[in-house]
Amino acid sequence: MTTATVSPEAVSPQATVQRQAAALPGSPAFSDQRRAAAGRPLAAVSGAEIQAPLIHGGHARYANLDYGASAPALSVVSAYLNEILPFYASVHRGAGYASQISTSVYENARAIVRDFVGGRPDDSVIFTRNTTDSLNLLAGCLPVTDGRPDGDVLYLDIEHHANLLPWQGVPHRSIVAAYTIAATIDAVRAELQQGGVSLLAVTGASNVTGEILPIRALAALAHEHGARIAVDAAQLAPHRRVDITADDVDYLAFSGHKLYAPFGAGVLVGRPDWLDAGTPHLAGGGAVKEARLDGVSWATGPARHEGGSPNVLGAATLARATQVIAELDQDRWHAHEAAIRSFLVEGLQEIDGVTVHQIFKDTNPDTDTIGVVNFSVEGYDAGLVAAYLSAEHGVGLRDGRFCAHPLLKRLGLPSGSLRASFGVGSRLEDAERLLAGIRDLRTKGLGWDYVVDAGRWVPANDNRTYPHWAPNTPGTAGAAPCIDD
């Protein structure tokens, strides 16, 4: 069994939390400008004040720095869910009162989402399980002539697996992103000039480093060479407004669970011709005009790909979340996020043995990044650092390879790194808690013994308890460890 033991100089987390609380108000890094921008959450979210048990005893307010995996639901969205839940019923073809209301809510959600992304009037809006589902759906709709694909899908090596694996089942090409955005655009242009590309698939913002790609420029390049563009906006949409008409994007996918909505719901928005001619994503009820024992006439429009009973509440809350995000003052929104990010990056860079990672050398950290910071701590496995921060400081963040294995290898991090991610419900104090924990780790070491259980670092002899309604099984996070190289 792999173990990590406590440093003899470690101090109790109670003392650490007390020292953090005393240091926060006078911390020189908390400038008046940063405090005004991000001293408080920009919007209320569910679970903002939950108390996390500490391994030495006591509790601390949970500092949620894992928004990039799943963001907490906006409080307004949670209230909306409670309002519509009594009327929940199966949609389409139901004559009952609740069914009629649910159908109206579900279908109206399409118009709300289309408006949120600046969609064209004829764009299809298809509700799916998540971004991965949306891009797999699109992969089944690539044009084919006489049984042969009309062209290849082109993608970069920096993609999340959701925008990597679906294309490996169709004719495809990949490009290794250069060390600058400018050179990467040149590489995409050179590949497109070779001809034979039908679709360019790119991320809107890296889920690993938070760097934003120039979507409008890439769309123009794709169209110049006869290709379409699909954008994985799972990370971008929760942090920046997207306008697919202005940017001339053909297909856009994102997920509700990253956009402050509960439940597993995603959406694919885009031009209808490929979608109406493509293979139905789910063969089943609702996706057909007429079914026979030996054949079927498929529907067109969103119904073609939404076979079975849809996630009505997921689609409804996703749409409501987009309305709340659309109402945010963009200057305040971006200033809030930039204040937390710059404070966190500067603080990490000041700690000996900590490295902040990025893909491109020409990224502007003030304008070309979202609320994601990737880093590693010299001498410590990323999973161990994450377990330590959770157990001893009440800080939650993500470790591993972030479903972006080729990029992590490219960055020289084949065993993974750490990712802090934040959003409208975050505050500067969350970042300071993380920094204080890393400083203590570097100067005093671990305050508890840790072991590897089911592929994950966990505290040895973990005595913390879960709420009475949750299975009290700490360490179960080892599921799907994703460790093979």
Side-chain angles (χ1 to χ4, degrees):
M1 176 180 289
T2 304
T3 62
T5 57
V6 58
S7 162
E9 297 183 4
V11 297
S12 73
Q14 291 94 330
T16 299
V17 171
Q18 291 170 0
R19 184 170 65 253
Q20 292 169 6
L24 284 176
S27 173
F30 275 107
S31 67
D32 290 342
Q33 183 178 4
R34 279 180 173 149
R35 194 191 311 275
R40 295 181 298 178
L42 186 65
V45 297
S46 297
E49 302 300 329
I50 62 174
Q51 296 294 302
L54 302 176
I55 193 68
H56 287 89
H59 292 75
R61 183 187 64 79
Y62 178 54
N64 184 356
L65 292 173
D66 198 16
Y67 275 52
S70 283
L74 288 157
S75 296
V76 172
V77 174
S78 297
Y80 174 68
L81 170 62
N82 289 330
E83 185 176 6
I84 65 174
L85 189 57
F87 298 91
Y88 169 68
S90 186
V91 298
H92 303 143
R93 299 178 304 282
Y97 179 63
S99 181
Q100 291 289 301
I101 291 176
S102 289
T103 299
S104 176
V105 168
Y106 183 69
E107 291 302 329
N108 190 51
R110 300 189 204 277
I112 294 171
V113 171
R114 183 187 292 108
D115 182 66
F116 174 69
V117 300
R120 297 159 288 260
D122 65 338
D123 277 337
S124 286
V125 178
I126 302 171
F127 289 117
T128 64
R129 287 171 291 187
N130 43 47
T131 303
T132 301
D133 199 31
S134 294
L135 294 172
N136 274 271
L137 187 162
L138 182 59
C141 296
L142 299 174
V144 175
T145 302
D146 295 330
R148 298 175 60 87
D150 288 356
D152 297 345
V153 177
L154 179 64
Y155 54 84
L156 298 169
D157 69 328
I158 66 174
E159 302 297 332
H160 184 280
H161 294 170
N163 199 32
L164 180 77
L165 301 183
W167 314 123
Q168 294 183 0
V170 299
H172 61 274
R173 308 177 205 171
S174 61
I175 296 176
V176 175
Y179 287 99
T180 66
I181 290 176
T184 300
I185 292 176
D186 289 341
V188 172
R189 178 185 293 107
E191 192 63 39
L192 288 169
Q193 287 174 342
Q194 300 299 314
V197 174
S198 62
L199 182 70
L200 172 64
V202 295
T203 185
S206 170
N207 75 301
V208 176
T209 65
E211 292 168 274
I212 297 173
L213 270 68
I215 296 304
R216 184 172 297 189
L218 290 168
L221 264 183
H223 296 151
E224 180 184 343
H225 295 88
R228 293 188 179 184
I229 185 170
V231 176
D232 170 0
Q235 296 294 336
L236 183 64
H239 300 275
R240 294 289 188 276
R241 287 301 305 274
V242 179
D243 190 325
I244 63 175
T245 297
D247 292 339
D248 206 11
V249 168
D250 300 290
Y251 299 98
L252 186 86
F254 62 95
S255 297
H257 73 98
K258 297 183 190 296
L259 195 76
Y260 310 103
F263 305 112
V267 67
L268 176 66
V269 184
R271 302 189 185 278
D273 53 345
W274 286 11
L275 300 173
D276 285 349
T279 302
H281 191 50
L282 290 172
V288 304
K289 294 179 180 179
E290 181 69 25
R292 301 174 297 277
L293 292 179
D294 59 351
V296 61
S297 298
W298 296 107
T300 56
R304 184 181 185 88
H305 300 287
E306 292 181 358
S309 296
N311 184 353
V312 179
L313 297 176
T317 51
L318 186 161
R320 184 69 183 102
T322 67
Q323 290 177 313
V324 178
I325 295 299
E327 292 167 359
L328 292 176
D329 179 278
Q330 292 199 54
D331 291 338
R332 286 188 59 208
W333 183 21
H334 297 167
H336 174 267
E337 186 171 284
I340 297 174
R341 192 181 196 280
S342 61
F343 174 75
L344 181 55
V345 170
E346 290 171 16
L348 289 170
Q349 290 176 334
E350 291 172 356
I351 301 174
D352 180 56
V354 174
T355 302
V356 177
H357 304 288
Q358 66 182 54
I359 304 169
F360 304 111
K361 295 180 180 179
D362 56 347
T363 293
N364 184 331
D366 296 325
T367 60
D368 297 337
T369 53
I370 60 169
V372 173
V373 177
N374 193 286
F375 67 99
S376 55
V377 182
E378 182 182 355
Y380 289 93
D381 182 82
L384 176 57
V385 177
Y388 152 81
L389 288 168
S390 175
E392 301 187 38
H393 296 271
V395 175
L397 75 171
R398 184 77 22 168
D399 69 277
R401 296 190 287 171
F402 317 108
C403 293
H405 297 178
L407 174 57
L408 268 292
K409 288 183 179 179
R410 232 278 295 283
L411 293 175
L413 302 165
S415 61
S417 60
L418 293 144
R419 182 186 72 186
S421 53
F422 39 89
V424 299
S426 304
R427 59 193 90 173
L428 278 174
E429 181 190 352
D430 299 333
E432 174 58 23
R433 290 264 300 283
L434 170 58
L435 292 173
I438 298 297
R439 292 189 193 105
D440 276 2
L441 180 64
R442 293 298 297 167
T443 57
K444 303 181 183 302
L446 301 167
W448 195 266
D449 292 342
Y450 294 83
V451 299
V452 174
D453 179 16
R456 295 285 299 169
W457 285 100
V458 296
N461 303 313
D462 193 346
N463 56 8
R464 295 171 296 167
T465 59
Y466 287 4
H468 68 88
W469 42 262
N472 192 27
T473 52
T476 55
C482 198
I483 57 174
D484 292 338
D485 288 332

